[in-house]
Amino acid sequence: MESFFTFLEKRVDDCSSLLCIGLDPYVNDLSEPTAASARDFCLNLVKQTSRYAAAFKPNTAFFEVFGADGWTALKDVIDAIQEESNRMGSMIPVILDAKRGDIASTAEAYAKSAFETLGAHCITLSPYLGKDSIEPFIQKSEKGVFLLCKTSNPGSGDLQDVMVTMDNSPLTMEDNSSSIVHGPSSVPLYEHVAKLAQTWNTKNNIGLVVGATHIDATKRVRLAAPDLWFLAPGVGAQGGELESALKAGLRKDGKGMLLPVSRSIARAEKPGIAAAELRDQILAIRSSMIGHR
């Protein structure tokens, strides 16, 4: 069955890339503080970097700040990515970085806005309202979500590192023998989220946001969710180290990890060249890892 992640894996193979280009039109980077300038800024990035992009990730906040005109600009950018996909004959997924989280009819409205009105293929979500809050987004296997798991910001540990106690269904000792008895165990909340996501992923359209700035946590999440794709922000401006992140997060098949990069590419003199160089750097590290397995 076709799903969001089968589409993504096809694109990864088509462009030999794990690079996700972040479309974050910071006002200070624009020629003028308008929605039109934000649109043109992103269209230029799309044109220059699409050959090397496994996906594009527009952040809704940088468009919402311009009001209704910003939403129109965001739609224009997503449409332009679709046109570029058609031109190349390879679908480039659009991951809407919106971090939504709500329930019932509100979640349904958010899903319709992202997938039908804007035409995105995937969206970032907060999982902390429970599975019913993400259900409207995962009804169709070809539409995907990345759930916030261990985010890249320094304050992520305030909540995500809190230890939660899990019931491991203790075994009963028999015949007074020294059988192993499993009692409740504690894991970080982010690890519990990862395990839940692994079980919820029945349509191959759920992934996790796992910051490249937290290497030990990335290793733990990979163990908890061996099959899932990670969206791993933090390389570049946030200080994440590329090789360490890849070694911690890639699956055994050398896939399963998207690295979103925005500022270091957008602010480069030639964004296309910057994207190509980073793509090649990722490939070299990935190839060396696979060669040693």
Side-chain angles (χ1 to χ4, degrees), residues 8 11 24 41 59 80 94 100 143 180 184 208 216 261 269:
L8 175 61
R11 175 59 190 168
D24 303 347
F41 177 87
N59 189 313
V94 174
R100 302 298 190 205
K143 300 299 184 182
I180 297 175
L208 296 169
D216 289 342
V261 177
E269 183 177 352

Side-chain angles (χ1 to χ4, degrees), residues 19-271:
L19 183 60
C20 175
I21 306 294
L23 300 176
D24 303 347
Y26 291 86
V27 171
N28 291 341
D29 292 336
L30 305 181
S31 59
E32 55 183 3
T34 64
S37 184
R39 179 196 62 217
D40 294 344
F41 177 87
C42 293
L43 293 181
N44 177 58
L45 278 175
V46 169
K47 183 178 181 180
Q48 292 200 48
T49 65
S50 59
R51 289 177 56 193
Y52 314 106
F56 282 103
K57 183 177 71 66
N59 189 313
T60 60
F62 294 105
F63 297 91
E64 290 175 9
V65 71
F66 296 113
D69 289 343
W71 280 105
T72 300
L74 176 57
K75 174 63 174 171
D76 289 345
V77 170
I78 293 173
D79 288 347
I81 295 169
Q82 183 62 57
E83 291 172 8
E84 192 69 9
S85 297
N86 294 338
R87 184 186 68 80
M88 292 191 297
S90 176
M91 188 191 89
I92 309 173
V94 174
I95 301 167
L96 197 66
D97 192 356
K99 300 179 180 69
R100 302 298 190 205
D102 218 312
I103 58 173
S105 58
T106 309
E108 292 172 5
Y110 277 138
K112 184 174 182 179
S113 171
F115 298 146
E116 297 181 26
T117 304
L118 290 173
H121 305 102
C122 182
I123 188 171
T124 58
L125 299 178
S126 170
Y128 296 107
L129 275 72
K131 188 181 180 184
D132 59 325
S133 68
I134 72 169
E135 285 285 4
F137 298 88
I138 57 172
Q139 292 301 306
K140 296 180 179 179
S141 61
E142 65 270 21
K143 300 299 184 182
V145 302
F146 279 101
L147 304 181
L148 303 182
C149 180
K150 178 57 177 171
T151 54
S152 59
N153 59 303
S156 65
D158 291 347
L159 293 178
Q160 296 162 17
D161 290 359
V162 170
M163 301 300 287
V164 295
T165 301
M166 308 302 299
D167 184 355
N168 280 350
S169 300
L171 299 176
T172 302
M173 289 191 295
E174 297 180 359
D175 302 323
N176 295 318
S177 67
S178 57
S179 301
I180 297 175
V181 178
H182 296 286
S185 62
S186 295
V187 299
L189 179 57
Y190 69 77
E191 188 174 327
H192 179 53
V193 169
K195 290 177 179 179
L196 285 175
Q198 178 82 19
T199 63
W200 293 347
N201 188 37
T202 58
K203 296 181 180 178
N204 194 32
N205 60 350
I206 296 176
L208 296 169
V209 177
V210 185
T213 50
H214 304 295
I215 300 303
D216 289 342
T218 300
K219 293 176 181 177
R220 292 186 67 133
V221 174
R222 178 49 75 202
L223 288 173
D227 303 323
L228 300 190
W229 274 83
F230 294 174
L231 184 66
V235 170
Q238 294 186 57
E241 203 279 314
L242 181 59
E243 184 171 359
S244 297
L246 288 169
K247 288 181 177 179
L250 282 178
R251 297 186 314 213
K252 292 182 179 180
D253 62 359
K255 296 180 181 179
M257 197 172 188
L258 276 182
L259 293 144
V261 177
S262 174
R263 283 169 281 183
S264 60
I265 291 176
R267 294 174 180 173
E269 183 177 352
K270 295 182 178 180

